[in-house]
Amino acid sequence: MLQVADLLNKNMFPDFRVAAGSKGLTREITSVSVLDAPDVDRWMRGGEFLIGSGYIFKDDPTEFTHFLDRVATKDIAAVGIKLDRFYHTLPSGIIDQANSLNLPLIEIPIDYRWTDIIETVTLFLLNEKNKDVLRQDIEVVQSLQMLNNEEDIKNLIALIAKDLERDMVVKAPRIHIFNHFANNDKESDNGAYLNVFDTPSLEEKPLPKKGIILANLSLKMLDKPRWVACYRIDGEPNVEVALILKDNEHYPSIRQNNSMWRIVSLLRFAQLDAVLTLNQHDIEKERFLESLCLGLYNDLDIIMHKANDMKLILPSKAFVMMATPANDKSTTKEQWKPQSSLSYRLGNIWVTIHSHKDRVFDWTTTAKINNYWISLGQNVESLLNLNKSYLQAKQTLNWIKEFKCEPGAYQHGDLSLHALLANLDSIPEAKELHQRYWMPLMEVKAHSKNTISLDIVAKTLIQVDFNVKEMAKILHIHYNTARKYVKEIEHILNIKMDSREHKIGLELAYYIDSHKK
């Protein structure tokens, strides 16, 4: 760790001088940033040693004091000003303000280049970070060895929540942890907090990434509007941790960040350990099913022999099904998984081999109830051709994600039209079609006094297959108002809604516009 006081030692900058804020010399420095604009505080994340010449405040020193007020709320480590450029000495008002904020104000001699300071501090921080990463890895492994089961892990997280005095929600599916930990070291059934991962964000800000751990700050409506620091590892094994900040808190502290990173790392190790302890039969079964889907076998007798050894009953005529949470979002419910023994995981995707007769099952209802996307590959008459069904299911799933389809079950043919429409704008005639049937609606939108813009009306009308009554219901408007909007669209585009050609033109123009966006 690098503290502000460390800047003054003989190995770093012995000729730096503390002009004010000496009570804040124990603040931790996590990075160096140059003071290049009056509103640079907007981009601070905390822990910065902010250096500059003071040029931007030379004509209005009082603005400098306001600036110090703002950066102090962002947990800036210190502010360094190079003297004899635009300030020979710092004004007394600025000194007094820094002292009142306990914000270290450092005087930097004129002969220092910014690169000298940035390079020295950054190299020190990198060396410390490498030591810290190694130490944390050792600590995680040691902690994992001491934790015998999920209850031990829960107890540890509960203690951390109590120590940080913040509520936390932790999700680690592989070790069956999905709990809200209150800041009094007790588990809680606070539903508002437990739904934190699925609650829409009112506002979002990025947080520093650490290795494979992603993080962001979200303002969410829980029991009241609260800022939530969310940390996660995508892929397998999935880990999500949410730190619920207190009222009037807008950013997690460095200590809280470090604690969350350690928890996520610990949970990742614990889940990997759980995966590694799968019995050998399960590992061999998953490897066999994956190889079968990838088309690595060219002898049906070998396939059946291996299946018999594993006590698996393979259908002679089959298809491949893939399933994944819709929109790649987690859910507060226990995630659905196939009941078939012929299933294996591919990241957050379930891959299952089904018999032809299973195709009649109502997969759409299953997908919608569980908020899943399900893709069905083609039927094949021999297991030697199963790779064709696998590749088709995979492409269909990619299309589902690309076109942001609703939760449901889809076959390749269901989305072929979407794929065709998605490439429409590459056709020369597409530009003319878009200009003819869609752009006039966008041009009217800029100065229209309508409550609902005509492009939204047209989009909704297309989505309900030009049923005006259904469109009125969706837009919550009276039927007569809906008909008035339709008449206005007809007038602006010079079309008739009872013309099949005009409806096709409007629909194609809408899809071209959607793809352009």
Side-chain angles (χ1 to χ4, degrees):
M1 183 174 73
L2 177 65
Q3 295 184 346
V4 177
D6 296 326
L7 294 174
L8 311 175
N9 69 39
K10 62 180 181 181
N11 295 321
M12 296 196 77
F13 311 107
D15 45 356
F16 279 16
R17 193 179 76 83
V18 180
S22 57
K23 290 183 179 179
L25 291 178
T26 57
R27 293 185 183 219
E28 182 181 357
I29 295 174
T30 59
S31 61
V32 187
S33 186
V34 176
L35 177 53
D36 60 352
D39 63 345
V40 71
D41 55 284
R42 293 175 56 195
W43 317 109
M44 299 293 100
R45 68 185 188 196
E48 286 90 350
F49 176 32
L50 197 55
I51 56 178
S53 61
Y55 170 77
I56 54 180
F57 302 121
K58 70 182 179 65
D59 295 326
D60 186 6
T62 58
E63 180 56 30
F64 200 161
T65 61
H66 298 321
F67 174 76
L68 292 180
D69 279 333
R70 296 198 302 273
V71 295
T73 64
K74 297 293 184 73
D75 288 330
I76 300 300
V79 176
I81 298 296
K82 185 186 288 189
L83 294 183
D84 297 327
R85 287 279 287 145
F86 303 101
Y87 289 100
H88 176 59
T89 58
L90 292 171
S92 59
I94 294 173
I95 300 255
D96 292 342
Q97 184 69 0
N99 279 325
S100 68
L101 296 169
N102 294 327
L103 177 64
L105 200 56
I106 310 293
E107 293 182 350
I108 300 174
I110 192 172
D111 55 331
Y112 274 96
R113 296 180 177 86
W114 297 143
T115 52
D116 295 335
I117 300 171
I118 294 171
E119 184 180 72
T120 302
V121 174
T122 302
L123 284 175
F124 182 93
L125 291 173
L126 284 175
N127 288 332
E128 289 297 303
K129 183 177 180 180
N130 289 335
K131 293 177 187 175
D132 190 49
V133 168
L134 178 60
R135 184 169 60 253
Q136 285 188 28
D137 287 345
I138 293 172
E139 288 175 358
V140 166
V141 173
Q142 290 173 341
S143 299
L144 189 60
Q145 291 170 344
M146 295 171 62
L147 301 174
N148 297 317
N149 53 48
E150 69 181 67
E151 287 305 315
D152 290 340
I153 296 175
K154 285 182 180 179
N155 290 337
L156 176 61
I157 295 173
L159 288 173
I160 294 173
K162 181 181 179 181
D163 180 55
L164 295 178
E165 298 181 341
R166 303 293 183 279
D167 288 69
M168 292 166 50
V169 179
V170 176
K171 184 173 183 181
R174 283 280 187 173
I175 51 177
H176 312 292
I177 292 180
F178 184 46
N179 300 85
H180 165 230
F181 297 91
N183 59 31
N184 57 3
D185 83 347
K186 303 290 186 183
E187 285 188 39
S188 168
D189 60 355
N190 188 326
Y193 287 176
L194 205 56
N195 291 326
V196 66
F197 297 119
D198 290 334
T199 302
S201 298
L202 305 175
E203 185 179 344
E204 288 195 6
K205 299 177 182 178
L207 283 175
K209 177 183 176 183
K210 187 178 181 71
I212 61 172
I213 302 175
L214 306 176
N216 73 296
L217 194 60
S218 301
L219 181 62
K220 293 175 178 278
M221 179 58 74
L222 301 177
D223 52 340
K224 60 179 72 173
R226 289 184 182 275
W227 284 100
V228 180
C230 300
Y231 306 79
R232 72 182 191 279
I233 295 178
D234 285 337
E236 184 66 23
N238 175 256
V239 178
E240 292 181 274
V241 177
L243 181 73
I244 318 293
L245 300 184
K246 290 186 175 181
D247 292 349
N248 303 320
E249 286 186 334
H250 301 272
Y251 208 89
S253 68
I254 294 171
R255 177 167 172 265
Q256 290 166 351
N257 260 332
N258 289 338
S259 296
M260 294 304 101
W261 288 334
R262 291 188 178 191
I263 288 174
V264 173
S265 297
L266 174 64
L267 291 170
R268 175 174 177 267
F269 273 103
Q271 291 196 114
L272 287 172
D273 187 59
V275 171
L276 293 174
T277 56
L278 284 172
N279 65 60
Q280 191 62 30
H281 176 270
D282 288 337
I283 295 173
E284 290 180 2
K285 184 196 81 169
E286 291 196 359
R287 188 180 299 135
F288 167 64
L289 294 176
E290 184 175 14
S291 298
L292 190 57
C293 287
L294 293 175
L296 300 184
Y297 296 104
N298 55 16
D299 189 310
L300 190 58
D301 289 337
I302 291 176
I303 292 173
M304 300 312 296
H305 179 75
K306 290 185 72 66
N308 289 335
D309 285 347
M310 297 180 189
K311 296 182 172 53
L312 296 174
I313 301 176
L314 292 174
S316 57
K317 299 179 180 181
F319 69 92
V320 173
M321 182 187 85
M322 291 187 177
T324 190
N327 303 310
D328 294 324
K329 288 184 177 178
S330 59
T331 173
T332 55
K333 299 185 298 182
E334 182 177 352
Q335 291 197 357
W336 174 85
K337 65 179 181 180
Q339 299 302 308
S340 171
S341 61
L342 303 180
S343 299
Y344 67 93
R345 286 183 69 93
L346 191 65
N348 65 343
I349 300 170
W350 280 104
V351 181
T352 309
I353 299 171
H354 280 283
S355 167
H356 281 195
K357 63 183 181 181
D358 293 335
R359 205 170 195 100
V360 298
F361 183 79
D362 188 2
W363 294 112
T364 297
T365 299
T366 298
K368 288 182 176 179
I369 289 174
N370 294 284
N371 195 38
Y372 260 65
W373 285 323
I374 291 179
S375 67
L376 308 174
Q378 68 185 73
N379 288 344
V380 293
E381 300 298 317
S382 168
L383 291 174
L384 291 176
N385 297 323
L386 195 64
N387 180 242
K388 293 180 180 179
S389 184
Y390 172 82
L391 292 176
Q392 195 179 76
K394 188 175 182 180
Q395 184 181 48
T396 303
L397 191 60
N398 288 336
W399 279 348
I400 291 170
K401 293 180 179 180
E402 180 181 350
F403 304 138
K404 297 180 175 59
C405 297
E406 293 296 314
Y410 299 86
Q411 301 183 62
H412 195 268
D414 298 334
L415 298 175
S416 297
L417 177 61
H418 284 275
L420 173 64
L421 294 173
N423 293 299
L424 265 182
D425 64 344
S426 62
I427 301 172
E429 291 79 8
K431 183 176 180 180
E432 184 178 348
L433 189 69
H434 186 253
Q435 288 284 347
R436 163 72 176 86
Y437 285 95
W438 199 260
M439 284 307 296
L441 299 180
M442 302 304 294
E443 291 165 1
V444 167
K445 181 177 181 179
H447 53 266
S448 174
K449 295 182 179 179
N450 290 331
T451 306
I452 303 173
S453 62
L454 293 182
D455 61 314
I456 298 296
V457 175
K459 171 186 172 182
T460 308
L461 191 61
I462 291 167
Q463 290 174 340
V464 296
D465 197 23
F466 295 90
N467 186 319
V468 179
K469 187 177 291 186
E470 285 299 312
M471 180 197 77
K473 286 181 182 178
I474 292 173
L475 296 178
H476 303 292
I477 56 177
H478 192 274
Y479 176 71
N480 290 336
T481 304
R483 287 186 57 81
K484 173 179 168 293
Y485 278 132
V486 173
K487 289 292 184 184
E488 192 172 349
I489 290 173
E490 287 182 318
H491 174 70
I492 291 170
L493 297 179
N494 191 25
I495 64 172
K496 295 292 183 183
M497 288 299 180
D498 56 0
S499 165
R500 181 170 176 271
E501 177 186 343
H502 287 169
K503 285 198 291 189
I504 291 174
L506 181 61
E507 192 167 1
L508 289 176
Y510 159 66
Y511 282 115
I512 292 169
D513 187 76
S514 300
H515 184 66
K516 284 178 179 294
K517 293 176 180 176

